[in-house]
Amino acid sequence: MNSKDIRQSFINFFKDKQHTVVRSASVAPLDDPTLLFTNAGMNQFKPIFLDEQMPKSKRIVNSQKCIRVSGKHNDLEEVGIDTFHHTFFEMLGNWSFGDYYKAEAIKWAWELFTEVWKLDKNRLWATVYTDDDEAFELWKSETDIAHDRILRFGKKDNFWEMGETGPCGPCSEIHYFVGKDLTKQAADGVNKSAEYWELWNLVFIQFNRDEKGKLHDLPKKHIDTGAGFERIVSVMQKKVSNYETDLFQPLLKHIEKITGVEYKKNPIPHQVIADHARMLTFSIADGVMPSNEGRGYIVRRILRRASRFGRVLNQSKPFIYKLVETVGEVLGEVYPEIIDRKAHIINVIKAEEKSFNKTLDRGLNHFDKILANLKGKVISGKEAFKLYDTYGFPLDLTQLIARENKLEVDERGFKKEMQEQVKRAKSAGKFKVNSKKIKWQEVRQGDDSKFLGYETLESKSKIIRWSKLENKYAVVFDQTPFYAESGGQIGDTGTILGDGIDLTVIDTQKEHESVVHFCKGDFDESKVKEVVNCSVDKERRDAIRRNHTATHLLHAALKQVLGEHVHQAGSSVGPENFRFDLTHFEKISNDELRQIEKIVNDEIIKNTEVIPDIKSFDVAKKEGAEALFGEKYGDVVRVLTIGDFSKELCGGTHVNRTGDIGFFKIIEESSLAAGVRRIVAITGKEALLFVQEQYQILNQLQDVIKAPQSEIIDRARIIVDDRKKLNKELKDFNQLQKLNVEDILIKSKMLNRVPFPVIITAISEISQNELRILGDRLYEKIDNQICVIGVENRIKPPIMVVVAQNLVKKGLSAHELANTIGGGKGGGKSHMAFTGAKNLDNLKMLLNHANAQIKTYVLSKRI
């Protein structure tokens, strides 16, 4: 079986057992601050395990894309070195939320392995938690595994916990012996020998651990299983390495083609690059951009690590980006986002490679210098920090190169050097249960938060639960017209009125599937069972609707003008304006912005109907609907279609026709991060007000500079140029004021046989321009003199020679005299010229010799 068939076989097996197929969540869990990356299949079901959300189906199956590079699950050092650790991998899993339990989980896992996939039973081993007699007996009764192959292990290997508190339970693992000789298997090899691969972990979530560490039985017991897809494919395809499977072979062959280096001759660099190319492709496809913090820093580290291994394969130019195409060929059918965003992924990786390559060579040269001067076997934290701070080497890259040279790095010293540098976000590797949850007062049972806001802005609603916070109330209703902040659109505001209740809604947020109204005002707790009137602020909602629909028009226009690589990378839609973040690698020019504005306003003028529709996710995607970075979509989605111009998945509120937007204007374009631009725009009344204010400014400017509108720019340029000229003249005047010519003139002296006074002196450091101004003033003041002025500058001190007009008429030349004093190096005019000294000592010597040189020069002219 190829990998596609194996994955689908797993899905189909559990579909046949009434499991609902759920798509993989993003590898960047934007709604979970406790995780850098999705590192297990169960991450997206965390709210269900924490009893914060009801499951949409009690039985679920999926294949989850995962990344493990930090915290507890940091496999980075082993990636590419061994045959089974990866930064990116897939986790196959099936779940039961209060439905079936241990018996079915064990029975079905064994059935799939031995009856469907025909794995050799004589290679399989099962482990259970040491105190889990129930699971031990079920392995005996529900399967035909040899009883001596059922082993007990302690908490370290066979007890799973979500965090220090919260849901937890024993687990049962299935291991597979990969050795050649079946007779050499032994129980003591499981969980110890590399010849026993863990293929599947069945977690039985049956307890809740309180803050004192005590275990309590859960009212509902859950099943959470995870099977490493890459390892299963290796076993199914009878390979001893994941890299020998069809998941990696196309990548490895492409790397061979790019580098000209055979995989078998040096497998480790090939394996590292293949693994990292997968991780980079999926993380960037899900909206993560290389940066210096959080997830972005992890992506940057991985890319730089791959670049370093590229040097081992003689790659000094960007090349990793070329592998994105191949990743798409292998996995794009299952995860279409890596095909849809291929151009963006390639651009990001190529730009990051190009940037790092500039510093990598210099960093490696510096590392060689460290080795040459190293005493001992430990690279200091100070040197490691310099590699990081100056050359962009993450600590683990320095450690990697150090290990290749049988050296260590002083990690503690490195961290000390970091001091107040930006702390790199790290994943704790485990969930933390939020202890600051709102403490609700339940009023009535039943479903809550039915959203009516697409059709109406008012409703009669019943309070389901409420809570008094520090200075406000939180209220959840059975139904509501208030839109809760999501998808970039901010929450509604408005009023809630009833008998004894007079509340102003200041914000509306989502808590899982519930809409929470945060309010201020009067709240009579004895009246909470009464029906209340909910009313959304219509003017504010209308402004938000105009802006939200405009983001869809803008997105489509950006693709037309800038290219298909453009994707939305974030947005914030409010009543005053909206911001739209997009993937693009250069500043958007003024001409491009005008073109984008024209396209959007043309669509507004067309007054096209805006049609929302409910469809299955798969159908919507096949029809070309855009899905956005980081958004979670269910099996059924809301599709917003604007003629033939735009089609996006969106749950927000929108206008009925594009003409309702009125007018669209971009007011700001800026850089948000490498490869991400930000546009701020306005619509409707705000756009009209903006244009009126700009026109008023234009009229006022016209009055001030006394020119018709058609000539304002030319007149403004003349004014600016005149101002620059005046500023220069003023600066020159101020500089003249600083230079006291009289102090120089009093140093005049007579030389033997020279019939006029001479001034030879040195002055404090001034600029060349100030020296020329001084020369002009001296020339105006002197009548029958020669001045030689040296300037005590630290680097190449200049010397100026000024000759009075009367003496110039008699045949003396400042140019000739400067040339004489400077030893053949001088230039200028007859009345003022310049030469220079090598340094301050040389300046002193030249000025001392100037007396004799002036005398000789004047006598030679026979004046």
Side-chain angles (χ1 to χ4, degrees), residues 74 78 237 361 476 605 617 627 639 655 790 812:
N74 191 342
E78 301 300 325
Q237 295 182 355
D361 283 329
V476 174
I605 292 169
F617 178 85
V639 183
V655 298
L812 297 187

Side-chain angles (χ1 to χ4, degrees), residues 273-292:
I273 294 165
D275 171 274
H276 289 6
R278 289 171 21 123
M279 183 272 187
L280 293 167
T281 298
F282 277 90
S283 57
I284 295 169
D286 279 349
V288 184
M289 294 292 291
S291 69
N292 280 335

Side-chain angles (χ1 to χ4, degrees), residues 72 74 114 244 471 548 591 598 623 815 850:
K72 174 187 174 184
N74 191 342
T114 62
E244 294 178 8
N471 58 353
H548 201 155
D591 285 343
K598 182 180 183 304
E623 292 179 354
H815 173 78

Side-chain angles (χ1 to χ4, degrees), residues 387-523:
L387 284 166
Y388 159 78
D389 195 41
T390 306
Y391 303 104
F393 278 38
L395 177 61
D396 47 24
L397 179 56
T398 301
Q399 290 171 324
L400 168 68
I401 304 172
R403 283 195 300 272
E404 291 174 355
N405 290 274
K406 295 183 171 55
L407 300 172
E408 295 179 4
V409 177
D410 176 11
E411 188 170 347
R412 183 178 296 178
F414 173 84
K415 290 179 179 177
K416 185 178 179 181
E417 291 288 334
M418 287 287 286
Q419 293 180 350
E420 298 303 318
Q421 287 273 15
V422 179
K423 292 181 180 179
R424 309 306 177 195
K426 293 183 178 180
S427 168
K430 289 185 178 182
F431 294 116
K432 296 175 183 175
V433 179
N434 185 3
S435 60
K436 296 183 179 179
K437 289 190 297 185
I438 296 173
K439 295 180 179 178
W440 292 104
Q441 302 293 322
E442 300 288 340
V443 176
R444 50 174 58 88
Q445 298 297 312
D447 294 336
D448 66 74
S449 302
K450 179 182 178 182
F451 182 58
L452 308 175
Y454 293 135
E455 295 82 24
T456 181
L457 297 183
E458 296 186 357
S459 73
K460 292 188 179 298
S461 302
K462 298 175 182 177
I463 298 173
I464 297 293
R465 56 186 180 272
W466 65 277
S467 179
K468 185 173 183 180
L469 307 178
E470 286 184 7
N471 58 353
K472 55 181 174 283
Y473 294 93
V475 189
V476 174
F477 298 101
D478 60 338
Q479 57 184 15
T480 178
F482 286 83
Y483 182 87
E485 181 172 334
S486 63
Q489 179 176 327
I490 67 172
D492 280 332
T493 61
T495 60
I496 297 168
L497 302 175
D499 185 13
I501 295 175
D502 186 350
L503 297 173
T504 298
V505 180
I506 57 175
D507 193 15
T508 313
Q509 295 286 329
K510 266 193 172 183
E511 185 185 68
H512 305 300
E513 300 303 315
S514 296
V515 175
V516 182
H517 307 72
F518 292 97
C519 316
K520 287 187 175 182
D522 298 326
F523 189 83

Side-chain angles (χ1 to χ4, degrees), residues 250-252 254-255 258 273-285 303 318-333 335-351 353:
L251 273 168
L252 294 169
H254 195 178
I255 294 168
I258 292 170
I273 294 165
D275 171 274
H276 289 6
R278 289 171 21 123
M279 183 272 187
L280 293 167
T281 298
F282 277 90
S283 57
I284 295 169
L303 198 150
F319 75 100
I320 301 166
Y321 73 92
K322 298 177 182 177
L323 301 174
V324 173
E325 182 91 35
T326 309
V327 176
E329 290 170 1
V330 176
L331 295 167
E333 186 178 326
Y335 305 107
E337 62 271 19
I338 64 175
I339 300 294
D340 296 343
R341 294 163 184 162
K342 180 175 68 176
H344 166 63
I345 300 165
I346 288 172
N347 285 339
V348 172
I349 294 176
K350 188 175 182 179
E353 280 190 274

Side-chain angles (χ1 to χ4, degrees), residues 726-739 770 773 777:
L726 288 170
N727 282 339
K728 184 179 183 302
E729 291 175 358
L730 181 60
K731 183 179 178 182
D732 290 346
F733 176 78
N734 289 334
Q735 288 172 337
L736 282 170
Q737 297 302 106
K738 294 178 187 176
L739 302 172
E770 290 171 333
I773 294 170
R777 290 203 65 191

